[in-house]
Coordinates of all heavy atoms in Angstrom, one line a residue:
M1 N -15.6 -7.1 -21.0 CA -15.3 -5.9 -20.2 C -13.9 -5.9 -19.8 O -13.5 -5.1 -18.9 CB -16.2 -5.8 -19.0 CG -17.7 -5.8 -19.3 SD -18.4 -4.4 -20.0 CE -17.9 -3.1 -19.0
G2 N -13.0 -6.7 -20.3 CA -11.6 -6.7 -20.0 C -10.8 -7.1 -21.1 O -11.3 -7.3 -22.3
E3 N -9.5 -7.1 -21.0 CA -8.6 -7.4 -22.0 C -8.1 -8.8 -21.9 O -7.6 -9.2 -20.8 CB -7.3 -6.4 -21.9 CG -7.7 -5.0 -22.1 CD -8.2 -4.6 -23.5 OE1 -7.8 -5.3 -24.4 OE2 -9.1 -3.7 -23.6
W4 N -8.2 -9.6 -22.9 CA -7.8 -11.0 -22.9 C -6.3 -11.2 -22.5 O -5.9 -12.1 -21.9 CB -8.1 -11.7 -24.2 CG -9.6 -11.9 -24.4 CD1 -10.4 -11.2 -25.2 CD2 -10.4 -12.8 -23.7 NE1 -11.7 -11.6 -25.1 CE2 -11.8 -12.6 -24.2 CE3 -10.3 -13.8 -22.8 CZ2 -12.8 -13.4 -23.8 CZ3 -11.3 -14.6 -22.3 CH2 -12.6 -14.3 -22.8
N5 N -5.5 -10.3 -23.0 CA -4.0 -10.4 -22.7 C -3.7 -10.1 -21.2 O -2.6 -10.4 -20.8 CB -3.3 -9.5 -23.6 CG -3.6 -8.0 -23.4 OD1 -4.6 -7.7 -22.8 ND2 -2.8 -7.1 -24.0
E6 N -4.6 -9.6 -20.4 CA -4.4 -9.4 -19.0 C -4.6 -10.7 -18.2 O -4.2 -10.7 -17.0 CB -5.3 -8.3 -18.5 CG -5.0 -6.9 -19.1 CD -3.7 -6.4 -18.7 OE1 -3.3 -6.6 -17.6 OE2 -3.1 -5.7 -19.5
I7 N -5.2 -11.7 -18.7 CA -5.5 -12.9 -17.9 C -4.2 -13.6 -17.5 O -4.2 -14.1 -16.4 CB -6.4 -13.9 -18.8 CG1 -7.8 -13.2 -19.0 CG2 -6.6 -15.2 -18.1 CD1 -8.7 -14.0 -19.9
G8 N -3.2 -13.6 -18.3 CA -1.9 -14.2 -17.9 C -1.4 -13.6 -16.7 O -0.8 -14.2 -15.8
G9 N -1.4 -12.3 -16.6 CA -0.9 -11.5 -15.4 C -1.8 -11.8 -14.2 O -1.3 -11.9 -13.1
I10 N -3.1 -11.9 -14.4 CA -4.0 -12.2 -13.3 C -3.7 -13.6 -12.7 O -3.7 -13.8 -11.5 CB -5.4 -12.1 -13.7 CG1 -5.8 -10.7 -14.1 CG2 -6.4 -12.7 -12.6 CD1 -7.2 -10.5 -14.7
L11 N -3.4 -14.5 -13.6 CA -3.2 -15.9 -13.1 C -1.8 -16.1 -12.4 O -1.5 -17.1 -11.8 CB -3.2 -16.9 -14.3 CG -4.6 -17.0 -14.9 CD1 -4.6 -17.9 -16.1 CD2 -5.6 -17.5 -13.9
Q12 N -1.0 -15.0 -12.4 CA 0.3 -15.0 -11.7 C 0.2 -14.5 -10.3 O 1.1 -14.5 -9.5 CB 1.4 -14.3 -12.4 CG 1.7 -15.0 -13.7 CD 2.8 -14.2 -14.5 OE1 3.2 -13.1 -14.1 NE2 3.2 -14.8 -15.6
L13 N -1.0 -14.0 -9.9 CA -1.3 -13.5 -8.5 C -1.4 -14.6 -7.6 O -1.4 -15.8 -7.9 CB -2.5 -12.6 -8.5 CG -2.5 -11.3 -9.5 CD1 -3.8 -10.7 -9.5 CD2 -1.4 -10.4 -9.0
D14 N -1.7 -14.3 -6.3 CA -1.8 -15.3 -5.3 C -3.2 -15.9 -5.4 O -4.1 -15.4 -6.1 CB -1.6 -14.8 -3.9 CG -2.6 -13.7 -3.5 OD1 -3.1 -13.0 -4.4 OD2 -2.9 -13.5 -2.3
F15 N -3.4 -17.0 -4.7 CA -4.6 -17.8 -4.8 C -5.9 -17.1 -4.5 O -6.9 -17.1 -5.2 CB -4.6 -19.1 -3.9 CG -5.8 -19.9 -3.9 CD1 -6.1 -20.7 -5.0 CD2 -6.7 -19.8 -2.8 CE1 -7.3 -21.4 -5.0 CE2 -7.9 -20.6 -2.8 CZ -8.2 -21.4 -3.9
T16 N -5.9 -16.2 -3.5 CA -7.1 -15.5 -3.1 C -7.5 -14.4 -4.1 O -8.6 -14.2 -4.4 CB -6.9 -14.8 -1.7 OG1 -5.7 -14.0 -1.7 CG2 -6.8 -15.8 -0.6
A17 N -6.5 -13.7 -4.7 CA -6.8 -12.8 -5.8 C -7.3 -13.4 -7.0 O -8.3 -13.0 -7.6 CB -5.5 -12.0 -6.1
I18 N -6.8 -14.6 -7.3 CA -7.3 -15.3 -8.5 C -8.7 -15.8 -8.2 O -9.6 -15.8 -9.1 CB -6.4 -16.6 -8.8 CG1 -5.0 -16.1 -9.3 CG2 -7.0 -17.5 -9.9 CD1 -4.0 -17.2 -9.4
S19 N -9.0 -16.2 -7.0 CA -10.3 -16.7 -6.6 C -11.3 -15.6 -6.8 O -12.5 -15.8 -7.3 CB -10.3 -17.2 -5.2 OG -9.5 -18.3 -5.0
V20 N -11.0 -14.3 -6.4 CA -11.9 -13.2 -6.5 C -12.2 -13.0 -8.0 O -13.4 -12.8 -8.4 CB -11.3 -11.9 -5.9 CG1 -12.1 -10.7 -6.3 CG2 -11.3 -12.1 -4.4
W21 N -11.1 -13.1 -8.8 CA -11.3 -12.9 -10.3 C -12.2 -13.9 -10.9 O -13.1 -13.7 -11.7 CB -10.0 -12.8 -11.0 CG -10.1 -12.6 -12.5 CD1 -10.4 -11.5 -13.1 CD2 -10.0 -13.7 -13.4 NE1 -10.5 -11.7 -14.4 CE2 -10.2 -13.1 -14.7 CE3 -9.8 -15.0 -13.4 CZ2 -10.2 -13.7 -15.9 CZ3 -9.7 -15.7 -14.6 CH2 -9.9 -15.1 -15.8
V22 N -12.0 -15.2 -10.5 CA -12.7 -16.3 -11.1 C -14.2 -16.2 -10.7 O -15.1 -16.4 -11.5 CB -12.1 -17.7 -10.6 CG1 -13.0 -18.8 -10.9 CG2 -10.8 -17.9 -11.3
V23 N -14.5 -15.9 -9.4 CA -15.8 -15.8 -9.0 C -16.5 -14.6 -9.8 O -17.6 -14.8 -10.2 CB -15.9 -15.5 -7.5 CG1 -17.3 -15.0 -7.0 CG2 -15.5 -16.8 -6.7
T24 N -15.9 -13.5 -9.9 CA -16.4 -12.3 -10.6 C -16.6 -12.7 -12.1 O -17.7 -12.4 -12.6 CB -15.5 -11.1 -10.5 OG1 -15.3 -10.9 -9.1 CG2 -16.1 -9.9 -11.1
F25 N -15.6 -13.3 -12.6 CA -15.8 -13.7 -14.1 C -17.0 -14.7 -14.2 O -17.8 -14.6 -15.2 CB -14.5 -14.3 -14.6 CG -14.5 -14.7 -16.0 CD1 -14.3 -13.7 -17.0 CD2 -14.7 -16.0 -16.4 CE1 -14.3 -14.0 -18.4 CE2 -14.7 -16.3 -17.8 CZ -14.5 -15.3 -18.8
G26 N -17.0 -15.7 -13.4 CA -18.1 -16.7 -13.4 C -19.5 -16.1 -13.3 O -20.4 -16.4 -14.0
L27 N -19.6 -15.1 -12.3 CA -20.9 -14.5 -12.2 C -21.2 -13.6 -13.4 O -22.4 -13.4 -13.7 CB -20.9 -13.7 -10.9 CG -20.9 -14.5 -9.6 CD1 -20.8 -13.6 -8.4 CD2 -22.3 -15.2 -9.5
T28 N -20.2 -13.0 -14.0 CA -20.5 -12.2 -15.2 C -21.0 -13.0 -16.3 O -22.0 -12.6 -17.0 CB -19.2 -11.5 -15.7 OG1 -18.6 -10.7 -14.6 CG2 -19.4 -10.6 -16.9
V29 N -20.5 -14.2 -16.5 CA -21.0 -15.1 -17.5 C -22.3 -15.8 -17.2 O -23.2 -15.8 -18.0 CB -19.9 -16.2 -17.8 CG1 -20.4 -17.2 -18.8 CG2 -18.6 -15.5 -18.3
F30 N -22.4 -16.3 -16.0 CA -23.6 -17.1 -15.7 C -24.7 -16.4 -14.9 O -25.8 -17.0 -14.8 CB -23.2 -18.3 -14.8 CG -22.2 -19.2 -15.6 CD1 -20.9 -19.4 -15.2 CD2 -22.7 -20.0 -16.7 CE1 -20.0 -20.1 -15.9 CE2 -21.8 -20.8 -17.4 CZ -20.5 -20.9 -17.0
A31 N -24.5 -15.2 -14.4 CA -25.5 -14.5 -13.7 C -25.7 -13.1 -14.4 O -26.2 -13.1 -15.5 CB -25.1 -14.3 -12.2
D32 N -25.3 -12.1 -13.8 CA -25.6 -10.7 -14.2 C -24.4 -9.9 -13.9 O -23.7 -10.1 -12.9 CB -26.8 -10.2 -13.5 CG -27.2 -8.9 -13.9 OD1 -27.4 -8.6 -15.2 OD2 -27.4 -8.0 -13.1
L33 N -24.1 -8.9 -14.8 CA -22.9 -8.1 -14.6 C -23.0 -7.3 -13.3 O -22.0 -7.1 -12.6 CB -22.7 -7.1 -15.8 CG -21.6 -6.2 -15.7 CD1 -20.3 -6.9 -15.7 CD2 -21.6 -5.2 -16.9
T34 N -24.2 -6.8 -13.0 CA -24.4 -6.0 -11.7 C -24.1 -6.9 -10.6 O -23.4 -6.4 -9.6 CB -25.8 -5.5 -11.7 OG1 -26.1 -4.8 -12.9 CG2 -26.0 -4.6 -10.5
V35 N -24.6 -8.1 -10.5 CA -24.3 -9.0 -9.4 C -22.8 -9.3 -9.3 O -22.2 -9.3 -8.3 CB -25.1 -10.3 -9.5 CG1 -24.7 -11.4 -8.5 CG2 -26.6 -10.0 -9.5
A36 N -22.2 -9.6 -10.5 CA -20.8 -9.9 -10.5 C -19.9 -8.8 -10.0 O -19.0 -9.0 -9.2 CB -20.4 -10.2 -11.9
V37 N -20.2 -7.5 -10.4 CA -19.5 -6.4 -9.9 C -19.7 -6.2 -8.4 O -18.7 -6.0 -7.6 CB -19.9 -5.1 -10.6 CG1 -19.3 -3.9 -10.0 CG2 -19.4 -5.2 -12.1
A38 N -20.9 -6.4 -7.9 CA -21.2 -6.2 -6.5 C -20.4 -7.3 -5.6 O -19.8 -7.0 -4.6 CB -22.7 -6.3 -6.2
V39 N -20.5 -8.5 -6.1 CA -19.8 -9.6 -5.3 C -18.3 -9.4 -5.4 O -17.6 -9.6 -4.4 CB -20.3 -11.0 -5.9 CG1 -19.4 -12.1 -5.3 CG2 -21.8 -11.2 -5.5
G40 N -17.8 -9.1 -6.6 CA -16.4 -8.9 -6.8 C -15.8 -7.8 -6.0 O -14.7 -8.0 -5.3
M41 N -16.5 -6.7 -5.9 CA -16.0 -5.6 -5.1 C -16.1 -5.9 -3.6 O -15.2 -5.6 -2.9 CB -16.9 -4.3 -5.4 CG -16.7 -3.7 -6.7 SD -15.0 -3.1 -7.0 CE -15.0 -1.7 -5.8
S42 N -17.1 -6.6 -3.2 CA -17.2 -7.1 -1.8 C -16.1 -8.0 -1.4 O -15.5 -7.9 -0.4 CB -18.6 -7.7 -1.5 OG -19.6 -6.8 -1.8
L43 N -15.8 -9.0 -2.3 CA -14.8 -9.9 -2.0 C -13.4 -9.2 -2.0 O -12.5 -9.5 -1.1 CB -14.8 -11.1 -3.0 CG -15.9 -12.1 -2.9 CD1 -15.8 -13.1 -4.1 CD2 -15.9 -12.8 -1.6
A44 N -13.2 -8.3 -2.9 CA -11.9 -7.6 -3.0 C -11.7 -6.7 -1.7 O -10.6 -6.6 -1.2 CB -11.9 -6.7 -4.3
A45 N -12.8 -6.1 -1.3 CA -12.7 -5.2 -0.1 C -12.4 -6.1 1.1 O -11.6 -5.7 2.0 CB -14.1 -4.5 0.1
L46 N -13.1 -7.2 1.3 CA -12.7 -8.1 2.4 C -11.3 -8.6 2.4 O -10.6 -8.7 3.4 CB -13.7 -9.3 2.4 CG -15.1 -9.0 2.8 CD1 -16.0 -10.2 2.6 CD2 -15.2 -8.5 4.2
L47 N -10.8 -8.9 1.2 CA -9.4 -9.3 1.0 C -8.4 -8.2 1.4 O -7.5 -8.4 2.1 CB -9.1 -9.8 -0.4 CG -7.8 -10.2 -0.8 CD1 -7.3 -11.4 0.1 CD2 -7.7 -10.5 -2.2
Y48 N -8.8 -7.0 1.0 CA -8.0 -5.8 1.4 C -7.9 -5.6 2.9 O -6.9 -5.4 3.4 CB -8.5 -4.6 0.6 CG -7.8 -3.3 1.0 CD1 -6.5 -3.0 0.5 CD2 -8.4 -2.4 1.9 CE1 -5.9 -1.8 0.9 CE2 -7.8 -1.3 2.3 CZ -6.5 -1.0 1.8 OH -5.9 0.2 2.2
I49 N -9.1 -5.6 3.5 CA -9.1 -5.5 4.9 C -8.4 -6.5 5.6 O -7.6 -6.2 6.6 CB -10.6 -5.5 5.4 CG1 -11.3 -4.2 5.0 CG2 -10.7 -5.6 7.0 CD1 -12.9 -4.3 5.2
Y50 N -8.4 -7.7 5.2 CA -7.7 -8.9 5.8 C -6.2 -8.6 5.7 O -5.4 -8.8 6.7 CB -8.1 -10.2 5.2 CG -7.2 -11.3 5.7 CD1 -7.4 -11.9 6.9 CD2 -6.2 -11.8 4.9 CE1 -6.7 -12.9 7.4 CE2 -5.4 -12.9 5.3 CZ -5.6 -13.5 6.6 OH -4.8 -14.4 7.0
R51 N -5.7 -8.2 4.5 CA -4.3 -8.0 4.3 C -3.8 -6.8 5.1 O -2.7 -6.9 5.6 CB -4.0 -7.9 2.8 CG -4.2 -9.1 2.1 CD -3.9 -9.0 0.6 NE -3.9 -10.3 -0.1 CZ -3.9 -10.4 -1.4 NH1 -3.8 -9.3 -2.2 NH2 -3.9 -11.6 -2.0
I52 N -4.5 -5.7 5.1 CA -4.0 -4.5 5.8 C -4.1 -4.8 7.3 O -3.2 -4.4 8.1 CB -4.9 -3.3 5.5 CG1 -4.7 -3.0 4.0 CG2 -4.6 -2.1 6.3 CD1 -3.3 -2.5 3.7
A53 N -5.1 -5.5 7.8 CA -5.2 -5.7 9.3 C -4.0 -6.6 9.7 O -3.5 -6.5 10.8 CB -6.5 -6.4 9.6
D54 N -3.5 -7.4 8.8 CA -2.4 -8.3 9.1 C -1.1 -7.6 9.3 O -0.2 -8.1 9.9 CB -2.3 -9.4 8.0 CG -1.9 -10.7 8.5 OD1 -2.1 -11.0 9.7 OD2 -1.4 -11.5 7.7
T55 N -1.0 -6.4 8.7 CA 0.3 -5.7 8.7 C 0.3 -4.7 9.9 O 1.4 -4.1 10.2 CB 0.5 -4.8 7.5 OG1 -0.5 -3.9 7.3 CG2 0.5 -5.7 6.2
T56 N -0.8 -4.5 10.6 CA -0.8 -3.5 11.7 C -0.4 -4.2 13.0 O -0.8 -5.3 13.3 CB -2.2 -3.0 11.9 OG1 -2.6 -2.4 10.6 CG2 -2.3 -2.0 13.0
T57 N 0.4 -3.5 13.8 CA 0.9 -4.0 15.1 C 0.5 -3.0 16.2 O 0.6 -1.8 16.0 CB 2.4 -4.3 15.1 OG1 3.1 -3.0 14.9 CG2 2.8 -5.3 14.1
V58 N 0.2 -3.6 17.3 CA -0.2 -2.7 18.5 C 0.7 -3.3 19.6 O 0.7 -4.4 19.9 CB -1.7 -2.8 18.8 CG1 -2.0 -2.0 20.1 CG2 -2.5 -2.4 17.7
S59 N 1.4 -2.4 20.3 CA 2.3 -2.8 21.4 C 2.3 -1.7 22.5 O 2.1 -0.5 22.2 CB 3.7 -3.1 20.9 OG 4.3 -1.9 20.3
P60 N 2.4 -2.2 23.7 CA 2.4 -1.2 24.8 C 3.6 -0.3 24.8 O 4.7 -0.7 24.3 CB 2.4 -2.1 26.1 CG 2.9 -3.4 25.7 CD 2.6 -3.5 24.2
V61 N 3.4 1.0 25.2 CA 4.5 1.9 25.3 C 5.2 1.7 26.7 O 4.6 1.7 27.7 CB 4.0 3.4 25.2 CG1 5.1 4.4 25.5 CG2 3.4 3.6 23.8
T62 N 6.5 1.4 26.6 CA 7.2 1.1 27.9 C 8.1 2.3 28.3 O 8.3 3.2 27.5 CB 8.2 -0.1 27.6 OG1 9.1 0.2 26.6 CG2 7.3 -1.3 27.2
E63 N 8.6 2.3 29.5 CA 9.5 3.3 30.0 C 10.7 3.4 29.1 O 11.2 4.4 28.8 CB 9.8 3.0 31.4 CG 8.7 3.2 32.4 CD 8.3 4.7 32.5 OE1 9.1 5.6 32.4 OE2 7.1 4.9 32.8
D64 N 11.3 2.2 28.7 CA 12.5 2.2 27.9 C 12.2 2.9 26.6 O 13.1 3.6 26.1 CB 12.9 0.7 27.6 CG 13.4 0.1 28.9 OD1 13.8 0.8 29.8 OD2 13.3 -1.2 29.0
Y65 N 11.0 2.7 26.0 CA 10.7 3.3 24.7 C 10.7 4.8 24.9 O 11.3 5.6 24.0 CB 9.3 2.8 24.2 CG 8.8 3.5 23.0 CD1 9.4 3.3 21.7 CD2 7.8 4.5 23.1 CE1 8.9 4.0 20.6 CE2 7.4 5.2 22.0 CZ 7.9 4.9 20.8 OH 7.5 5.5 19.6
I66 N 10.1 5.3 26.0 CA 10.1 6.8 26.2 C 11.5 7.3 26.5 O 11.9 8.3 26.0 CB 9.2 7.1 27.4 CG1 7.7 6.7 27.0 CG2 9.3 8.6 27.7 CD1 6.7 6.8 28.1
R67 N 12.2 6.6 27.3 CA 13.6 7.0 27.7 C 14.6 7.0 26.5 O 15.4 7.9 26.4 CB 14.1 6.2 28.9 CG 15.4 6.6 29.5 CD 15.8 5.8 30.7 NE 15.5 4.4 30.7 CZ 14.5 3.8 31.4 NH1 13.7 4.5 32.2 NH2 14.2 2.5 31.3
D68 N 14.6 5.9 25.8 CA 15.6 5.7 24.7 C 15.2 6.5 23.4 O 16.1 6.6 22.5 CB 15.8 4.2 24.4 CG 16.3 3.5 25.6 OD1 16.9 4.1 26.5 OD2 16.1 2.2 25.7
G69 N 14.0 6.9 23.2 CA 13.6 7.5 22.0 C 14.2 8.9 21.9 O 14.7 9.5 22.8
A70 N 14.0 9.4 20.6 CA 14.3 10.9 20.4 C 13.4 11.7 21.3 O 12.5 11.2 21.9 CB 14.1 11.1 18.9
P71 N 13.7 13.0 21.3 CA 12.8 13.9 22.1 C 11.4 13.5 21.8 O 10.9 13.5 20.7 CB 13.2 15.3 21.7 CG 14.6 15.1 21.3 CD 14.7 13.8 20.6
H72 N 10.7 13.2 22.9 CA 9.3 12.7 22.8 C 8.4 13.5 23.6 O 8.8 14.0 24.7 CB 9.4 11.2 23.3 CG 8.2 10.4 22.9 ND1 7.0 10.5 23.6 CD2 8.0 9.5 21.9 CE1 6.1 9.6 23.0 NE2 6.7 9.0 22.0
V73 N 7.2 13.6 23.3 CA 6.2 14.4 24.0 C 6.0 13.8 25.3 O 5.6 14.6 26.3 CB 4.9 14.5 23.2 CG1 4.2 13.2 23.1 CG2 4.0 15.6 23.7
L74 N 6.2 12.6 25.6 CA 6.0 12.0 26.9 C 7.2 12.1 27.8 O 7.1 11.7 29.0 CB 5.6 10.5 26.7 CG 4.3 10.2 26.0 CD1 4.0 8.8 25.8 CD2 3.1 10.9 26.8
Q75 N 8.4 12.5 27.3 CA 9.5 12.5 28.2 C 9.3 13.6 29.2 O 8.9 14.7 29.0 CB 10.8 12.8 27.4 CG 11.3 11.6 26.6 CD 12.5 11.8 25.8 OE1 12.9 13.0 25.6 NE2 13.1 10.8 25.4
G76 N 9.6 13.2 30.5 CA 9.5 14.2 31.6 C 8.1 14.3 32.1 O 7.8 15.1 33.1
R77 N 7.1 13.5 31.6 CA 5.7 13.6 32.0 C 5.5 12.4 33.0 O 6.1 11.3 32.8 CB 4.7 13.5 30.9 CG 4.9 14.4 29.7 CD 4.4 15.8 30.1 NE 4.7 16.7 29.0 CZ 3.9 17.7 28.7 NH1 2.8 17.9 29.4 NH2 4.2 18.5 27.8
I78 N 4.6 12.6 33.9 CA 4.2 11.6 34.8 C 3.0 10.9 34.3 O 1.9 11.6 34.0 CB 4.0 12.1 36.3 CG1 5.2 12.7 36.8 CG2 3.4 11.0 37.2 CD1 5.1 13.4 38.1
V79 N 3.1 9.6 34.0 CA 1.9 8.8 33.5 C 1.4 8.0 34.6 O 2.1 7.1 35.2 CB 2.4 8.0 32.3 CG1 1.2 7.2 31.8 CG2 3.0 8.8 31.2
P80 N 0.1 8.2 35.0 CA -0.5 7.4 36.1 C -0.5 5.9 35.7 O -0.6 5.6 34.6 CB -1.9 8.0 36.2 CG -1.9 9.3 35.5 CD -0.8 9.2 34.4
D81 N -0.5 5.1 36.8 CA -0.5 3.6 36.6 C -1.7 3.1 35.9 O -1.7 2.1 35.2 CB -0.3 2.9 37.9 CG 1.1 3.1 38.5 OD1 2.0 3.4 37.7 OD2 1.2 3.1 39.7
Y82 N -2.9 3.8 36.0 CA -4.1 3.3 35.5 C -4.3 3.7 34.0 O -5.3 3.3 33.3 CB -5.3 3.9 36.3 CG -5.4 5.4 36.3 CD1 -6.0 6.1 35.3 CD2 -4.8 6.1 37.4 CE1 -6.0 7.5 35.4 CE2 -4.9 7.4 37.5 CZ -5.5 8.1 36.5 OH -5.6 9.5 36.6
V83 N -3.3 4.4 33.4 CA -3.3 4.7 32.0 C -2.5 3.7 31.2 O -1.4 3.4 31.5 CB -2.7 6.2 31.8 CG1 -2.6 6.5 30.3 CG2 -3.6 7.2 32.5
S84 N -3.2 3.2 30.1 CA -2.5 2.3 29.2 C -2.2 3.1 27.9 O -3.1 3.7 27.3 CB -3.3 1.1 28.9 OG -3.6 0.3 30.0
M85 N -0.9 3.1 27.5 CA -0.5 3.7 26.2 C -0.1 2.7 25.3 O 0.6 1.7 25.6 CB 0.6 4.7 26.5 CG 0.2 5.9 27.3 SD 1.5 7.1 27.5 CE 2.7 6.2 28.5
L86 N -0.5 2.8 24.0 CA -0.2 1.8 23.0 C 0.5 2.5 21.8 O 0.1 3.7 21.4 CB -1.4 1.1 22.5 CG -2.2 0.3 23.6 CD1 -3.5 -0.2 23.0 CD2 -1.4 -0.8 24.1
R87 N 1.4 1.8 21.1 CA 2.0 2.3 19.9 C 1.3 1.5 18.8 O 1.2 0.3 18.8 CB 3.5 1.9 19.8 CG 4.4 2.8 20.5 CD 5.8 2.5 20.3 NE 6.1 1.2 19.7 CZ 7.3 0.6 19.6 NH1 8.3 1.2 20.1 NH2 7.5 -0.6 19.1
I88 N 0.8 2.2 17.8 CA 0.2 1.6 16.7 C 0.9 1.8 15.4 O 1.2 3.0 15.1 CB -1.3 2.0 16.5 CG1 -2.1 1.8 17.8 CG2 -2.0 1.4 15.3 CD1 -3.5 2.3 17.9
H89 N 1.4 0.8 14.8 CA 2.1 0.9 13.5 C 1.3 0.3 12.4 O 0.9 -0.9 12.5 CB 3.5 0.2 13.6 CG 4.4 0.9 14.5 ND1 5.2 2.0 14.2 CD2 4.8 0.7 15.8 CE1 5.9 2.4 15.2 NE2 5.7 1.6 16.2
G90 N 0.9 1.0 11.4 CA 0.1 0.5 10.3 C -1.2 1.2 10.2 O -1.4 2.2 10.8
A91 N -2.0 0.7 9.3 CA -3.4 1.3 9.1 C -4.3 1.0 10.3 O -4.2 0.0 11.0 CB -4.0 0.7 7.9
V92 N -5.1 2.0 10.7 CA -6.0 1.9 11.8 C -7.4 2.1 11.2 O -7.7 3.2 10.6 CB -5.8 2.9 12.9 CG1 -6.7 2.8 14.0 CG2 -4.3 2.8 13.4
F93 N -8.2 1.1 11.3 CA -9.6 1.1 10.8 C -10.4 0.1 11.5 O -9.9 -0.7 12.2 CB -9.7 1.1 9.3 CG -9.2 -0.2 8.7 CD1 -10.0 -1.2 8.4 CD2 -7.8 -0.4 8.5 CE1 -9.6 -2.4 7.9 CE2 -7.3 -1.6 8.0 CZ -8.2 -2.6 7.7
V94 N -11.7 0.0 11.3 CA -12.6 -0.9 12.0 C -12.3 -2.3 11.6 O -12.7 -3.2 12.4 CB -14.1 -0.6 11.8 CG1 -14.4 0.8 12.4 CG2 -14.4 -0.6 10.3
G95 N -11.6 -2.6 10.6 CA -11.2 -4.0 10.3 C -10.2 -4.6 11.1 O -10.0 -5.8 11.1
N96 N -9.5 -3.8 11.9 CA -8.4 -4.4 12.8 C -9.1 -5.1 14.0 O -10.1 -4.6 14.5 CB -7.5 -3.3 13.3 CG -6.7 -2.7 12.2 OD1 -6.6 -3.2 11.1 ND2 -6.0 -1.6 12.5
D97 N -8.5 -6.2 14.4 CA -9.1 -7.0 15.5 C -8.6 -6.5 16.8 O -9.1 -7.0 17.8 CB -8.8 -8.5 15.3 CG -7.4 -8.8 15.3 OD1 -6.5 -7.9 15.5 OD2 -7.0 -10.0 15.0
G98 N -7.7 -5.6 16.9 CA -7.3 -5.1 18.3 C -6.3 -6.0 19.0 O -6.0 -5.7 20.2
E99 N -5.8 -7.1 18.4 CA -4.9 -7.9 19.1 C -3.5 -7.3 19.2 O -3.1 -6.6 18.2 CB -4.7 -9.2 18.2 CG -5.5 -10.4 18.7 CD -5.2 -11.6 17.9 OE1 -4.0 -11.9 17.7 OE2 -6.1 -12.3 17.6
A100 N -3.0 -7.4 20.3 CA -1.6 -6.8 20.5 C -0.6 -7.7 19.8 O -0.7 -9.0 19.9 CB -1.2 -6.7 22.0
G101 N 0.3 -7.2 19.0 CA 1.2 -8.0 18.2 C 2.6 -7.9 18.7 O 3.6 -8.3 18.4

């Protein structure tokens, strides 16, 4: 179900991507194609979530950020002390752990 000449390119990827491929290939040979695809897709999805969550940062919005930034919707507004505002850069989805970076 694949091209043999693509294996060289796959083996140049990082360890986790190679591991997903090896597990999927092994399950295709020794188990069942349906099982291999399900496990391979699940592992690839978990790897994707881990990598994307690693690129997302969450940091508090400070007075300096509001004051120094370009015209901002919060400039000139009074923000109560009990309100927390956060800047989120990157993908936002349920895979993120919510840690402030």
